[in-house]
Amino acid sequence: MTLTMLRRRDCLRGLVGLLPIPGIVPAASARRRRGHLIAVGGAEDRERDRLILRRFIELSGGPLAHVLVLTAASSDPDGAWRGYETVLAELGAQHVEPIDFRSPEEAHDPRAIERVLSADGIYISGGDQRRLMAALWDTPAARALHQAFHLQGCCIGGTSAGAAALSRQMLAIGEPALRPYRHAVSLDIGLGLIANAIIDQHFNERRRLGRLLSALAIRPDLLGVGIDEDTALVIERGAGVEILGSGAVTLIDGRQMRANAREADPEEPLQMLDLRLHLLPAGTRYRLREPDEDAPAPPPALRQALELLVQPGPLRL
């Protein structure tokens, strides 16, 4: 299926509205909440303050929330699950279970889909985002993730590969580059919960600015979001953002950029002019609706970028 066909299909699906997935009934206990997304740059603290995982439990509904750890991105799903089982229990979560998909066939299992729809919080482990999407792409399980977020207010988090896959345009392949090049990266289709951004992780630790700029040269209509290790971008849909952890989030807006990506040779460093870069350290909070003292309204240029960032992708049916 071509990218044009995918875009046409997405537009048609967006017109359908917020309807339940045919044949799937949400759990009777589902609560109307504003959905949150938590994109983590990887290597989140699991031994000291554990701020990111604490916030995930809180936004999922607290100690009694039904939480799933989705390990489909990992080459060692049992090991990935064990890495979270103890720490989430120590933080007070009483109902935490693993869930895994190794193939699209497993992502069609009605019992697994029911588990996704009954969850209050879903945390996607690290690994390889291509492995995750190979199992989930265009399956009932992926659509159930959308219904859980859009219709039931489920909190969905992802770390490292799990963070990269939250966006529609997913950074799939790309080696660290000191300077942006036209062919430095390859994009693929992600989960689509974040509509207008490309997410990169382990950002400053692995010097990935050049790689993210290379992605924006391909898609200047999108925002670039680089998230440091032990750092989380928390998105309250339609309302605001919060940065947690020990690092920062680098937000790059290239919508007014002038670049020579089409004319440059594949290995020629790109010229990229009129980029806007915002650095949001941990502790930053911005509200787009009803700002308060702890979360003021952002300045105009940042507000324009955040308005795009907090806008969720359409419900996938």
Side-chain angles (χ1 to χ4, degrees):
M1 184 177 293
T2 66
L3 183 58
T4 299
M5 294 170 65
L6 287 172
R7 287 174 177 166
R8 289 175 178 171
R9 183 182 67 178
D10 291 345
C11 291
L12 291 172
R13 285 177 171 171
L15 294 174
V16 173
L18 298 181
L19 299 175
I21 299 173
I24 298 177
V25 180
S29 62
R31 301 183 297 278
R32 284 286 180 178
R33 295 172 296 173
R34 187 189 297 271
H36 287 80
L37 298 171
I38 304 179
V40 186
E44 65 274 31
D45 169 30
R46 305 185 201 178
E47 298 179 355
R48 298 180 299 278
D49 295 332
R50 300 176 284 195
L51 294 177
I52 294 171
L53 294 174
R54 286 181 189 275
R55 188 72 168 131
F56 168 70
I57 294 172
E58 177 187 350
L59 293 176
S60 296
L64 298 181
H66 178 201
V67 172
L68 296 178
V69 176
L70 175 57
T71 58
S74 176
S75 61
D76 179 14
D78 291 337
W81 159 240
R82 288 193 300 271
Y84 288 103
E85 179 182 16
T86 300
V87 65
L88 291 174
E90 289 175 351
L91 292 174
Q94 299 179 26
H95 305 286
V96 184
E97 301 174 344
I99 188 168
D100 186 46
F101 300 103
R102 294 290 102 182
S103 67
E105 289 74 24
E106 293 182 15
H108 280 74
D109 184 346
R111 294 168 298 181
I113 295 163
E114 183 179 356
R115 293 178 64 200
V116 170
L117 289 173
S118 68
D120 299 303
I122 300 171
Y123 198 78
I124 306 172
S125 76
D128 186 333
Q129 54 265 41
R130 294 170 297 174
R131 181 184 294 112
L132 174 71
M133 292 311 303
L136 288 182
W137 165 244
D138 204 22
T139 64
R143 295 191 286 274
L145 284 170
H146 273 260
Q147 182 170 344
F149 172 69
H150 284 280
L151 303 185
Q152 299 170 224
C154 180
C155 177
I156 298 182
T159 185
S160 190
L166 292 177
S167 58
R168 177 61 175 170
Q169 287 296 313
M170 180 183 77
L171 208 164
I173 302 174
E175 295 300 323
L178 292 178
R179 303 169 187 83
Y181 294 89
R182 192 176 71 186
H183 289 171
V185 299
S186 175
L187 301 180
D188 208 335
I189 302 298
L191 291 170
L193 296 169
I194 296 174
N196 302 304
I198 299 171
I199 296 175
D200 206 350
Q201 69 278 33
H202 306 279
F203 192 64
N204 277 310
E205 290 79 6
R206 300 187 185 179
R207 300 184 179 184
R208 286 179 167 175
L209 177 61
R211 148 168 140 159
L212 185 56
L213 288 174
S214 300
L216 291 183
I218 300 172
R219 291 297 306 267
D221 56 313
L222 301 177
L223 301 171
V225 179
I227 308 176
D228 293 348
E229 292 181 357
D230 187 35
T231 305
L233 167 66
V234 181
I235 299 175
E236 182 181 359
R237 56 178 295 168
V241 300
E242 176 183 9
I243 313 301
L244 297 175
S246 60
V249 170
T250 302
L251 180 60
I252 305 172
D253 186 350
R255 289 174 296 155
Q256 299 180 27
M257 172 182 63
R258 291 177 294 160
N260 64 341
R262 293 188 177 182
E263 298 82 17
D265 292 332
E267 301 303 322
E268 178 185 354
L270 297 178
Q271 182 182 75
M272 304 176 74
L273 308 178
D274 291 334
L275 286 162
R276 284 187 178 271
L277 187 149
H278 308 278
L279 188 65
L280 308 178
T284 299
R285 294 183 66 220
Y286 282 112
R287 297 286 300 177
L288 303 179
R289 312 286 180 267
E290 302 177 357
D292 55 43
E293 292 183 359
D294 295 328
L302 176 59
R303 183 184 184 90
Q304 292 175 12
L306 293 181
E307 289 279 7
L308 273 182
L309 187 59
V310 303
Q311 177 183 334
L315 173 67
R316 308 291 172 183
L317 295 175

